[in-house]
Amino acid sequence: MVRLARVAADGDERSVAVLSASSGDRLLDLGSRPLPELFAELDGIRDLVATADAETLPPLDPSALRAPVVPRSLLCLGYNYRGHVPDGVDPTADDPATPDVFVKTANTLGGPADAVVIPAVADDVDYEGEIAVVIGRRAHGVSLDDALSYVAGYTLLNDVSDRSWQRRQSQWALGKCFDGFAPLGPWMVTADEIDPQDLVVEVVRDGRVTVSQSTATTIFSVAFVVHYLSQVLTLEPGDVVSTGTPQKLAAAQAAHRPLAPGDAVTVRVAGIGELTTVFTSPSGAPA
């Protein structure tokens, strides 16, 4: 398993492998090509990582991290964890027959170091911590048995949403697609050694755990979702499929309040990492 990232460097961006050292994370430079162009070379990158002396490499500056990929398509799932259902729906009802799929547009993409601006017209901004799948090679009409072989790795997404705009229409696009409403990162973890159906998604808001649920409780597995989506559209290397959010814990639901400037939300999954997003006012400064 290798952590791959994009970092800003001297006015440019570089692809890097992130290695652990005694003094913290270090960077192994992989060149300027974006990560999807390196997916065919992952075996060689693993060899480089295995032979590198992490202690001699430059340190990671977390503020330099950018979104690990810039997807052509950013597809998301609604209500994919058991117990997470639309308002008014019985959480013990039968599972849906097919995934609930929606799109986040290109303007939503943000990096792991980017703050999210709460728009002046949005009055019910909420967070959704999710595991996001990064497609590794062109996938169209793939079988369920082969679907995971098309996955390059996994990263984290905060599917920021404004509930008031989301409720205005039968489609969710306006509530999901404000600028910067899809922070992605901090890196991509390669798919080897990761079982996507045996991970725990946790979300921490201002120091309190508000979400904690295993991917074993998803209705549609990563393999099924990649298979299902590929029947309709061709998935390209670097495309991202986010797998949905668990329901908030009961105490967090009871104490719900919209996100406000100065709030911070961390999405964390052991084996993948942590994505912390700070929310700011339209002026860019926390209130």
Side-chain angles (χ1 to χ4, degrees):
M1 183 175 64
V2 178
R3 292 180 289 168
L4 300 175
R6 292 284 286 178
V7 296
D10 299 325
D12 196 5
E13 288 191 11
R14 309 286 291 179
S15 291
V16 298
V18 182
L19 281 66
S20 297
S22 60
S23 56
D25 287 331
R26 300 283 176 150
L27 301 182
L28 177 63
D29 191 352
L30 300 176
S32 61
R33 287 183 295 161
L35 290 185
E37 293 185 17
L38 302 178
F39 289 164
E41 304 169 19
L42 286 180
D43 286 344
I45 291 171
R46 290 187 188 97
D47 291 341
L48 287 174
V49 169
T51 58
D53 181 358
E55 304 294 341
T56 66
L57 297 174
L60 167 66
D61 173 6
S63 69
L65 286 167
R66 300 295 182 258
V69 293
V70 179
R72 181 196 60 123
S73 297
L74 175 49
L75 304 166
C76 301
L77 300 187
Y79 307 115
N80 190 34
Y81 282 78
R82 291 188 174 90
H84 185 209
V85 295
D87 292 342
V89 175
D90 181 357
T92 66
D94 291 340
D95 291 341
T98 56
D100 197 347
V101 181
F102 62 94
V103 174
K104 288 181 84 88
T105 47
N107 63 297
T108 64
L109 185 68
D114 295 335
V116 170
V117 174
I118 297 177
V121 297
D123 56 16
D124 195 4
V125 177
D126 203 0
Y127 57 90
E128 296 186 3
E130 308 189 4
I131 296 171
V133 178
V134 181
I135 300 299
R137 56 193 178 103
R138 178 173 289 185
H140 182 77
V142 305
S143 71
L144 179 59
D145 288 344
D146 290 338
L148 286 182
S149 72
Y150 290 83
V151 175
Y154 302 93
T155 186
L156 302 176
L157 176 82
N158 190 336
D159 174 20
V160 184
S161 312
D162 183 74
R163 304 305 184 195
S164 61
W165 282 84
Q166 190 175 338
R167 296 186 190 105
R168 292 186 183 195
Q169 54 191 53
S170 61
Q171 304 299 310
W172 299 345
L174 292 183
K176 296 284 188 176
C177 293
F178 284 94
D179 293 346
F181 267 27
L184 187 72
W187 39 64
M188 184 197 87
V189 175
T190 55
D192 52 305
E193 302 181 38
I194 293 285
D195 179 354
Q197 305 313 132
D198 188 25
L199 300 168
V200 175
V201 177
E202 289 192 322
V203 179
V204 180
R205 176 178 178 174
D206 298 324
R208 297 181 61 187
V209 175
T210 60
V211 172
S212 182
Q213 191 165 337
S214 171
T215 57
T217 65
T218 54
I219 299 168
F220 303 104
S221 68
V222 169
F224 181 83
V225 171
V226 172
H227 153 74
Y228 180 78
L229 293 173
S230 77
Q231 308 308 306
V232 177
L233 68 155
T234 301
L235 299 170
E236 298 286 355
D239 283 350
V240 170
V241 180
S242 201
T243 55
T245 186
Q247 181 64 280
K248 292 184 177 70
L249 298 174
Q253 287 181 268
H256 169 73
R257 64 174 176 82
L259 289 165
D263 285 348
V265 172
T266 296
V267 184
R268 66 188 185 196
V269 177
I272 298 179
E274 296 189 358
L275 171 67
T276 297
T277 301
V278 175
F279 292 82
T280 71
S281 64
S283 65

